Amino acid sequence: MTIDPDMPAHEDAVLRGVMHQYAEHLPVTDKTPIISLGEGDTPLVRSQSIERELGCDALYFKLESCNPTGSFKDRGMVVAVAKAMEEGAQAIMCASTGNTSASAAAYAGRYGLKCFVIVPDGNIARGKLAQSVVYGAEIIAIDGNFDAALRVAREITSKHPIALVNSVNPHRVEGQKTASFEIADALGDAPDVLALPVGNAGNITAYWRGFVQYHQMEHTSRRPMMLGFQAAGAAPLVDGAPIESPQTIASAIRVGNPASSASALAARDESGGAIAAVTDDEILAAYARLAREEGIFCEPASAACVAGVLRQKAEGRSFAGQTVVCIITGSGLKDPETALRTEPDVHRVPAELGAIEREMGWA
Ligand code: F0G
């Protein structure tokens, strides 16, 4: 393994990233540059409120929103970009509902690669679009959904010397599995239940791989039950067939034909878990509760896993005695439109002490 000689020695970040931390578990060779934007090592925060309703032993939120570009994608992207650099790529490409493109754009900018992102026109959250713009990616907006974008990205990268950095790139999944290691290390063992939102199904594949490997290496005594949640209007793995026009407010997981369906179903079955659907209303209710009761502002897709475990509880699943971890995959700041979709309850008053106190009810 080498530090790229052309790069300034950003030692702090390099010592912190997932490539440095987990090199022995990653496809790192003598020729792989160890690069980083400080991804990984995200907080595992205990629930203050929802845990009681779930009736579990402990509920934790893994704040993947604390990664450098605000989502879990950075863990896999750093490895995919390092491997692309090792292979001499000059350019990378991805299809995206917004987070993969933000992450790809950031690492490409930092390491001098050209970055093309293909997104569904008008259907990615503004914050994510802003990231790709400012990081300097070439943004190609298509008249089609994520599934169509991924189809063309695969075709273009098979024709041209451009590295595809979607989760169909095996290096992405390798990097993302490091989150399982962190959770197991923090808890001293694997949790009983791992809940996460499912879109293109790379992340559930990655978490399961990480937990299986850690268990094989005897770092844990068990493997968690995997609970994946899709939005009801975009739930091909629940319905058992691809969906032509997926619909949900959780635009990050508006995916009709997940590329990693087979490995997601394997994770479900091998772990004795489930992949189930939650409605947009349930997602928005969990999104609001996470913010108001837990202090966690996530994007709607992330709230799907919390909505999901609450629904399972309501339907009769007992979490008694169990440790549950919900993956908060992305930051709420990425999607201000959803946050402000209804007129916010703002008190408008003159800039004057008495008026403000009266409005507060503390006059
Ligand atoms: N949560 C967020 C915030 C996401 O952005 C995604 C996927 C998922 C969950 C689902 O993860 O696809 O591995 O099952 N976003 C992709 C993107 C599709 O293009 O950013 P998955």
Side-chain angles (χ1 to χ4, degrees):
M1 92 181 72
T2 55
I3 307 277
D4 185 336
D6 298 335
M7 295 297 153
H10 297 299
E11 202 143 281
D12 273 347
V14 168
L15 290 179
R16 258 197 228 113
V18 301
M19 294 196 71
H20 172 79
Q21 203 66 36
Y22 294 107
E24 64 191 295
H25 304 295
L26 295 173
V28 169
T29 70
D30 301 353
K31 304 205 167 52
T32 313
I34 301 298
I35 59 171
S36 176
L37 194 43
E39 62 293 316
D41 196 16
T42 57
L44 189 66
V45 173
R46 182 137 180 201
S47 168
Q48 289 296 305
S49 163
I50 296 172
E51 173 181 301
R52 284 195 295 272
E53 183 171 334
L54 218 51
C56 56
D57 198 44
L59 170 64
Y60 293 93
F61 304 109
K62 177 74 167 162
L63 301 190
E64 289 292 281
S65 46
C66 292
N67 276 299
T69 74
S71 87
F72 70 95
K73 305 288 181 179
D74 297 338
R75 287 181 189 276
M77 195 58 68
V78 70
V79 181
V81 167
K83 296 304 279 186
M85 289 163 71
E86 177 180 342
E87 286 148 22
Q90 304 294 310
I92 63 175
M93 170 175 273
C94 66
S96 185
T97 56
N99 279 327
T100 301
S101 48
S103 184
Y107 287 88
R110 182 170 166 90
Y111 295 109
L113 301 171
K114 191 148 182 80
C115 180
F116 298 96
V117 305
I118 307 184
V119 298
D121 196 8
N123 275 320
I124 72 169
R126 295 290 282 178
K128 301 175 188 181
L129 183 61
Q131 288 180 289
S132 283
V133 169
V134 177
Y135 289 135
E138 298 288 337
I139 302 165
I140 301 165
I142 63 158
D143 174 18
N145 61 24
F146 170 83
D147 304 290
L150 183 55
R151 243 181 348 258
V152 288
R154 290 175 110 145
E155 276 173 41
I156 292 170
T157 52
S158 69
K159 270 180 71 180
H160 301 284
I162 303 174
L164 181 65
V165 295
N166 280 102
S167 59
V168 294
N169 177 329
H171 305 309
R172 279 276 313 279
V173 172
E174 285 297 302
Q176 281 171 217
K177 78 182 180 190
T178 59
S180 303
F181 302 163
E182 288 178 16
I183 291 169
D185 287 343
L187 296 177
D189 204 343
D192 297 287
V193 176
L194 193 291
L196 79 176
V198 175
N200 205 30
N203 211 29
I204 189 170
T205 301
Y207 270 92
W208 182 238
R209 184 177 301 171
F211 282 118
V212 167
Q213 289 183 0
Y214 235 38
H215 184 247
Q216 278 165 352
M217 292 182 285
E218 298 181 359
H219 290 304
T220 60
S221 71
R222 60 184 179 208
R223 311 184 305 189
M225 172 196 282
M226 302 293 287
L227 296 181
F229 295 100
Q230 300 198 290
L237 297 177
V238 182
D239 299 351
I243 292 170
E244 194 65 39
S245 301
Q247 296 300 335
T248 168
I249 193 161
S251 58
I253 52 172
R254 195 182 287 151
V255 177
N257 189 12
S260 300
S261 294
S263 49
L265 296 175
R268 176 195 69 186
D269 297 339
E270 290 167 21
S271 74
I275 298 179
V278 286
T279 65
D280 279 7
D281 284 349
E282 289 172 306
I283 289 173
L284 289 173
Y287 166 82
R289 286 192 65 182
L290 277 162
R292 290 174 184 213
E293 298 171 30
E294 305 281 6
I296 294 171
F297 183 28
C298 65
E299 59 176 293
S302 308
C305 65
V306 176
V309 291
L310 285 169
R311 182 177 187 157
Q312 296 241 321
K313 169 71 179 167
E315 287 173 352
R317 184 190 285 275
S318 169
F319 292 100
Q322 300 193 319
T323 298
V324 180
V325 176
C326 286
I327 308 302
I328 302 301
T329 49
S331 166
L333 291 171
K334 287 171 172 278
D335 188 356
E337 299 98 321
T338 299
L340 299 173
R341 72 197 175 284
T342 53
E343 188 53 34
D345 194 9
V346 176
H347 304 262
R348 292 203 167 75
V349 293
E352 187 248 299
L353 184 66
I356 295 172
E357 282 175 333
R358 272 193 303 284
E359 189 65 24
M360 290 166 64
W362 283 44

